[in-house]
Amino acid sequence: MKHGTQRDLLLIRGGTVVTGQASLRVDVLCGGVGEILAVGPALEAPTGCTTIDAGGLLVLPGGVDPHTGIGADEAGFSATAAALAGGTTTVIDVMRPHGQDMAQAWRDWRQAAARAPVDVGLRMGLPDAGGAVMGGMDMLVGHGVNSFHLSMAGGMGDHAILDLAAHAAGLGALCVIEAQNAQAMAYLHAALDHAGVSGGEACPLACPPAIEGEAVGRALMLAGLVGAPVHVGPVSTAGACAAIIAARAQARRVQAHVLAPHLVLDEAVYDAGDPAPYLIRPPFRDSTHRRALWGALACGAVGMVASGFSPAGQAGHGVAGGLAERMRVVWRHGVQAGVMEAEEFVRATSEAAARAFNIYPRKGAIMPGADADLVLWNPDAQEMRPASAGGLYGGIALGGQPECVIRGGVVAFRDGAPHEGAGSSAYVPCPAFRPGLSVRMRQAARLSV
C-alpha cells in the first residue's frame, strides 16, 4: 500500500496537466490508497467524490527534491513543511552515519523522518570502503536505499571511490559524488588562515572553480574505470558542466544536480553584513558560471534542482533555508524568463530526480497508478522578496505559486496554510536498478574511458 489507508475520492477538474512530456487539458481522479485512478478529459465525478476546481491553474506532479541533508533530526524534518508549501512533496535525504553502525544509523533516520509532512527517501553517506561498509551497503539496498553519498570534498580518496562505485554498481545502486579537491582546498584554507583571511571573503577563495572542474572530471573518470553509473553534485561551475556534457557525449551514464541558490546568487553575497548563510560548499560563483548552469539545466546535462537544505546550516553541509523557494526560483528565472518550457521545469524539479533514483512513475508523473502527489500552480504569480526580509532569497524575484498541494490524494496545503489531517510521511523505497544492465553497460563505460 502506498499511504497505508483508503482515501476518499478527489477529482481535480478544469486545470492544465503538465508533465515532463506534454501539457494537456484533462481532469485527474485520485483515491484508493493515495494513487491516481484516472486521467482524462471531462471525467465524471463518482458519487461522494470531492471536486476541486483548477480552472486557470497548472496541475503539476509534486516536486521531488533530490538533496537535503537533514539526517536523524526530527526538528529538521518538521521544517520540511516549508517544502510542502513550495510544492515539494518528496525529499531524498542524505544521512551521514558519523561513526555509527550503518544499521543503527538507518533506524535513527527512519525514526526521525517518520513524522515529516512530506514523503521521504534515503541516500546514505559512506565514510570509507571497509568490509563493514560494504556489508552495510548490501543491507541498505534491501531496505530500499539505492544511492550512496561519497565525498571527495570530505577527503575520500580515489581507491575508496573505485571500490565503493564498483560494489554499488554490482548491487544495482548509484554513487552520488560530491566532487571537490579536498587536498587543494585544505592547502588554500591554510594559506588564507596564515594571511588572516577568513569568513565570507575566504569561502570562494578556498574553493576556486578549477578545483571543482578537476574533481568532477576525475569522478567521472574513476566511475568509468569500473563501469559504474555516477551522479555528481552539487555542481556550480562552467568547467563541471563541460565535463558532464563531454562524458554524456561518450554515452556515459552521468547525472548531476545543482542547488537552487546557485542559479540566482553570486559571489556578491560575501560582501553582505552577515555572510554566514552563504558559507556553503561549493561557494557562490560569478555570473559566468551561473549562465553555464542555466544552459546545462535547460539542455538536460544537469538534470535536476535541489534545495540543499540542512537544518544546522553548517559550512559545507547545505543551506539553512530555501525549501519553500526551490521550485519558485526555477519558475521565475527559468520559465518566466524564457529559458525553459513548463515541461522542462517539471523535469528539473520532479521527474528527473524520480527517474534518477528509480521511483518513477510512482513519483514525478501524473498517470494511473502513480502517487496522487499534485500541485495546483498559479503560473502568473510573481514576487520580489525585499532585501530587508533577509534569509537566503532576500532581494530575489520569485515566480509561480502553489495554490493547493495534494499529497497521497489528500489536500495537505491550500490557500497559504497547511491542512490538518494530511498525515505524516510515507517512506519511499528506492529499488535497486536492474542487475541485467550491469555487464554490457559496465564494459561500455570502461571502453569509453
Side-chain angles (χ1 to χ4, degrees):
M1 298 176 90
K2 288 182 170 65
H3 287 84
T5 57
Q6 197 74 17
R7 303 299 172 92
D8 294 336
L9 294 174
L10 179 67
L11 179 65
I12 313 302
R13 170 167 283 168
T16 300
V17 168
V18 183
T19 69
Q21 291 71 44
S23 298
L24 300 167
R25 188 70 174 272
V26 289
D27 301 337
V28 183
L29 179 65
C30 310
V33 287
E35 75 265 31
I36 294 172
L37 301 178
V39 178
L43 292 178
E44 184 175 342
T47 303
C49 177
T50 300
T51 299
I52 294 179
D53 181 9
L57 301 175
L58 305 181
V59 182
L60 314 176
V64 179
D65 187 338
H67 185 170
T68 61
I70 301 170
D73 182 339
E74 190 170 325
F77 279 107
S78 296
T80 58
L84 194 69
T88 294
T89 54
T90 303
V91 301
I92 306 294
D93 190 56
V94 178
M95 170 70 184
R96 295 174 174 86
H98 297 303
Q100 274 185 305
D101 169 77
M102 288 172 69
Q104 185 59 49
W106 151 255
R107 289 190 290 270
D108 290 347
W109 179 88
R110 280 294 292 124
Q111 183 176 353
R115 287 181 288 279
V118 296
D119 289 351
V120 293
L122 175 65
R123 175 158 66 252
M124 184 63 79
L126 300 180
D128 55 46
V133 169
M134 301 287 194
M137 293 170 72
D138 299 352
M139 176 272 297
L140 288 167
V141 168
H143 284 299
V145 177
N146 71 358
S147 63
F148 298 96
H149 184 87
L150 314 183
S151 180
M152 282 181 164
M156 182 172 283
D158 293 356
H159 194 285
I161 289 172
L162 287 164
D163 279 346
L164 293 170
H167 190 67
L171 295 173
L174 177 70
C175 284
V176 178
I177 301 180
E178 182 188 0
Q180 304 286 340
N181 188 315
Q183 292 187 14
M185 285 194 298
Y187 176 87
L188 292 173
H189 266 298
L192 290 164
D193 285 344
H194 183 72
V197 179
S198 61
E201 186 180 3
C203 189
L205 295 175
C207 186
I211 280 179
E212 181 178 303
E214 180 276 334
V216 167
R218 182 156 47 93
L220 301 182
M221 178 273 294
L222 293 171
L225 289 177
V226 293
V230 67
H231 182 120
V232 292
V235 297
S236 66
T237 65
C241 294
I244 294 163
I245 291 168
R248 289 168 68 96
Q250 296 172 353
R252 300 269 299 282
R253 286 178 65 82
V254 179
Q255 302 167 145
H257 70 273
V258 61
L259 301 186
H262 281 112
L263 294 170
V264 291
L265 300 175
D266 60 27
E267 59 192 359
V269 297
Y270 298 114
D271 297 330
D274 178 17
Y278 310 109
L279 300 181
I280 68 170
R281 187 177 62 218
F284 294 100
R285 314 292 189 180
D286 66 37
S287 58
T288 301
H289 298 285
R290 200 166 69 240
R291 286 193 295 271
L293 293 175
W294 276 111
L297 190 64
C299 76
V302 173
M304 60 204 82
V305 180
S307 68
F309 169 73
S310 172
Q314 300 168 0
H317 294 296
V319 293
L323 283 167
E325 293 86 2
R326 181 183 72 99
M327 293 175 66
R328 301 190 69 202
V329 163
V330 182
W331 188 265
R332 174 65 187 90
H333 298 273
V335 179
Q336 290 179 335
V339 177
M340 305 172 72
E341 298 293 337
E343 295 82 2
E344 293 170 328
F345 167 83
V346 168
R347 289 199 291 271
T349 58
S350 180
E351 183 185 308
R355 288 184 181 275
F357 301 107
N358 208 23
I359 54 174
Y360 180 90
R362 177 179 176 182
K363 302 294 185 183
I366 299 179
M367 63 175 67
D371 280 8
D373 298 341
L374 303 168
V375 182
L376 277 56
W377 186 263
N378 178 353
D380 300 320
Q382 294 191 44
E383 173 191 356
M384 173 58 77
R385 286 277 172 88
S388 59
L392 191 63
Y393 292 107
I396 299 295
L398 303 173
Q401 179 68 51
E403 301 292 340
C404 178
V405 181
I406 296 160
R407 187 181 67 84
V410 175
V411 174
F413 183 90
R414 193 173 189 182
D415 298 329
H419 266 222
E420 295 295 329
S424 300
S425 72
Y427 174 59
V428 183
C430 300
F433 296 91
R434 288 188 295 118
L437 285 173
S438 181
V439 176
R440 286 199 311 274
M441 292 188 57
R442 293 178 74 177
Q443 183 61 25
R446 291 189 185 100
L447 290 173
S448 74
V449 172

